[in-house]
Amino acid sequence: MKKLLLSLVAVSALAFSTQAQTEKGKILVGGAVGFNSTKVEGASKSDLRFNIIPSAGYFISDNFAIGTGVGYNYNKEVSKERLTQSFEVAPFGRYYVGLSDQFKFFGQLSVPMSFGNVKNVDDVTGDVGDKLGTTTKIGVQLAPGFAFYPTKRVGIEVSVDGLGYNNYTVKDAATGNKAKADSFGLDASTIAPKLGVMFHF
């Protein structure tokens, strides 16, 4: 009887600990960091891409969190003679569905907004030159993912971009003219998923 009681207590504690990760009042902290260097044939220098977007959220109810990411994107394309830099804000809402004690599925709806500029890059030296224009990008994205919890406070996540819409505007620095582009589509590639780590407190 004592062994049965202890077993029930252990199972209850495990169930509580996994639910406690996404219960009302908990805090979610994490983010994404990316780095890529590519040497295009014929280019004198490598293209360089870097981004860092830390994020934080709060569970306003069990399994449902709202929050935002704030970060910076840097994309120097010597092969295309341009440098794009932007500051990004991405408010989001995320809902979790428990699949087992250590696995959860989640869906995230976010509204990424970035504001930056485009500069000229010398294709021989790689030096950055004059500003060509300013950029604005506003979108909506619905992304699915899975979270694995090796411990009570750490979630290892795998997600894909999913369904998204983006409005991209470039304003020419010399003339003030604007060029706009809209894109909408599904980009749920399983070949290049995103890997991240989130901390629950």
Side-chain angles (χ1 to χ4, degrees):
M1 184 66 179
K2 187 181 291 184
K3 288 182 178 179
L4 178 61
L5 184 60
L6 289 173
S7 298
L8 288 173
V9 169
V11 170
S12 298
L14 180 61
F16 176 77
S17 68
T18 55
Q19 171 62 28
Q21 294 154 345
T22 57
E23 70 180 6
K24 182 179 179 180
K26 294 294 183 179
I27 295 173
L28 185 68
V29 178
V33 176
F35 176 83
N36 184 41
S37 179
T38 305
K39 183 67 184 297
V40 177
E41 186 177 353
S44 58
K45 302 284 184 178
S46 296
D47 293 349
L48 180 65
R49 176 180 294 179
F50 171 78
N51 69 286
I52 179 168
I53 305 177
S55 60
Y58 177 77
F59 284 90
I60 58 173
S61 65
D62 288 351
N63 298 316
F64 181 63
I66 60 172
T68 190
V70 178
Y72 172 73
N73 295 291
Y74 177 94
N75 188 14
K76 186 177 183 181
E77 299 173 286
V78 179
S79 60
K80 296 182 179 180
E81 301 181 16
R82 69 185 179 191
L83 166 65
T84 305
Q85 301 175 89
S86 63
F87 171 77
E88 181 173 323
V89 179
F92 66 85
R94 176 183 286 199
Y95 187 76
Y96 287 85
V97 176
L99 302 176
S100 69
D101 290 339
Q102 290 183 298
F103 288 93
K104 289 180 187 260
F105 169 82
F106 65 84
Q108 178 170 300
L109 179 66
S110 60
V111 185
M113 298 172 283
S114 64
F115 310 91
N117 57 63
V118 180
K119 294 182 179 180
N120 184 57
V121 174
D122 190 293
D123 62 348
V124 177
T125 64
D127 293 337
V128 178
D130 297 332
K131 184 168 76 171
L132 302 176
T134 57
T135 63
T136 303
K137 185 177 180 180
I138 300 175
V140 178
Q141 188 173 62
L142 181 61
F146 288 93
F148 166 66
Y149 295 93
T151 71
K152 185 170 66 173
R153 297 190 183 279
V154 178
I156 299 172
E157 300 181 352
V158 177
S159 63
V160 294
D161 286 338
L163 189 66
Y165 164 80
N166 285 296
N167 174 269
Y168 185 69
T169 303
V170 179
K171 182 179 180 180
D172 190 284
T175 65
N177 293 334
K178 294 182 179 180
K180 297 184 178 182
D182 293 302
S183 63
F184 176 80
L186 181 65
D187 190 20
S189 172
T190 56
I191 298 174
K194 295 179 180 178
L195 182 65
V197 178
M198 298 297 278
F199 299 93
H200 298 251
F201 300 98

